[in-house]
Amino acid sequence: MKGKAVKFIVLTIFPEMFDPFWEHGMIKRAIERKKIFASTINIRDFTKDKHRVTDDRPYGGGSGMVMKAEPLAGAIRAAQKKAPLAKTVLLTPQGRCFSQNIAHEMASSDGAILVCGRYEGVDERISHHLIDDEMSIGDYVLTGGELGAMIIIDAVTRLVPGTLGSEDSAENDSFSTGLLEHAHYTRPRSFEGNDVPDVLISGNHKEIEKWRLETSLIRTFLKRRDLLEKKSLSPQEIDILKKWCLDIEKIIHDQSLRGSDTSSGTQ
Ligand code: ADE
């Protein structure tokens, strides 16, 4: 499948952190196949002083250091020249939370210039004037944005058409369907006394699909009920849930009958 490569330019003071990242697995393959274009810019290359300093003390005092505006502005403008259509995104715990939906949007975009903050944060004038979006990868604080940038690139790259081995693999992903993915098994058929469910060996594709949907629904209900509450359910999914309700009601009903049997039996 042809298409324009999604561009990622990472602005960081630690570009070496990305070398092994570009050189393994699906990211490497996507670069080789020109599905993505990936590069780093060293923010330090845009300093003008002898010691190549990228941080300074905060105005107003206090602990921690702040990333200086001038080197960051130089690096961002250089990246924007290389990728004029890409959004400039600052990695920060204050940003909106990265999600599978955002990953899909980015996979069909021109790409992103990912600005990795370090220290306490970046000079506010950078965020105000040169940044299009702020992104967080979760409610915890990292020592810098580099790992966040890798997570975003990884999640987006596998959604770029032609990157995954099989075109439809990403369609059934957890979150893409609004449900967690179904259970998976591979050989051996029996492992430490635990067997693969018979239906998966039956060759009955309709039954296998139904079983997968059921395991998907039950996992989502048990592990991420919030997802199930948000999802707009298909008629088939509603039928499955209704059947569970009836099954559970029957178990409770039978129990209550048994309970009265037992109490009458002990009297
Ligand atoms: N930099 C530090 N913490 C971060 C987070 N949670 N997400 C993105 N960038 C960060």
Side-chain angles (χ1 to χ4, degrees), residues 250-267:
K250 184 172 181 314
I251 291 170
I252 295 168
H253 178 72
D254 291 354
Q255 277 293 319
S256 64
L257 287 182
R258 232 185 286 163
S260 53
D261 283 357
T262 315
S263 55
S264 59
T266 52
Q267 269 174 3

Side-chain angles (χ1 to χ4, degrees), residues 12-56:
T12 168
I13 56 169
F14 295 127
E16 338 50 70
M17 279 178 76
F18 288 82
D19 295 341
F21 180 59
W22 306 141
E23 284 161 20
H24 289 91
M26 191 179 292
I27 301 295
K28 179 180 179 197
R29 210 168 59 219
I31 293 170
E32 284 169 355
R33 292 183 182 173
K34 300 193 168 34
K35 300 293 172 194
I36 67 166
F37 167 87
S39 67
T40 51
I41 288 183
N42 190 343
I43 297 166
R44 231 177 260 292
D45 291 344
F46 294 83
T47 53
K48 297 221 163 71
D49 62 307
K50 195 170 102 192
H51 299 290
R52 296 169 39 96
V53 174
T54 54
D55 62 327
D56 207 342

Side-chain angles (χ1 to χ4, degrees), residues 160-223:
V160 175
T163 298
L164 288 182
S166 142
E167 277 296 328
D168 69 350
S169 308
E171 275 168 29
N172 299 324
D173 280 351
S174 293
F175 309 114
S176 289
T177 58
L179 296 173
L180 299 181
E181 228 186 301
H182 60 77
H184 297 277
Y185 294 87
T186 186
R187 285 180 291 182
R189 193 160 162 178
S190 182
F191 173 68
E192 298 186 351
N194 300 301
D195 292 346
V196 172
D198 287 338
V199 62
L200 297 180
I201 300 149
S202 68
N204 184 335
H205 294 291
K206 205 161 157 239
E207 282 304 308
I208 292 173
E209 278 317 302
K210 189 167 159 246
W211 179 89
R212 286 186 167 154
L213 180 58
E214 286 209 53
T215 62
S216 219
L217 277 166
I218 200 147
R219 286 170 160 220
T220 314
F221 176 68
L222 293 174
K223 297 183 188 181

Side-chain angles (χ1 to χ4, degrees), residues 90-94 117 135-146 148:
L90 175 67
L91 277 298
T92 161
Q94 296 185 12
M135 204 81 80
S136 164
I137 55 147
D139 287 344
Y140 39 80
V141 181
L142 303 167
T143 54
E146 284 78 5

Side-chain angles (χ1 to χ4, degrees), residues 97-109:
C97 205
F98 182 65
S99 65
Q100 191 70 7
N101 281 343
I102 297 176
H104 275 285
E105 282 167 25
M106 289 175 84
S108 55
S109 77

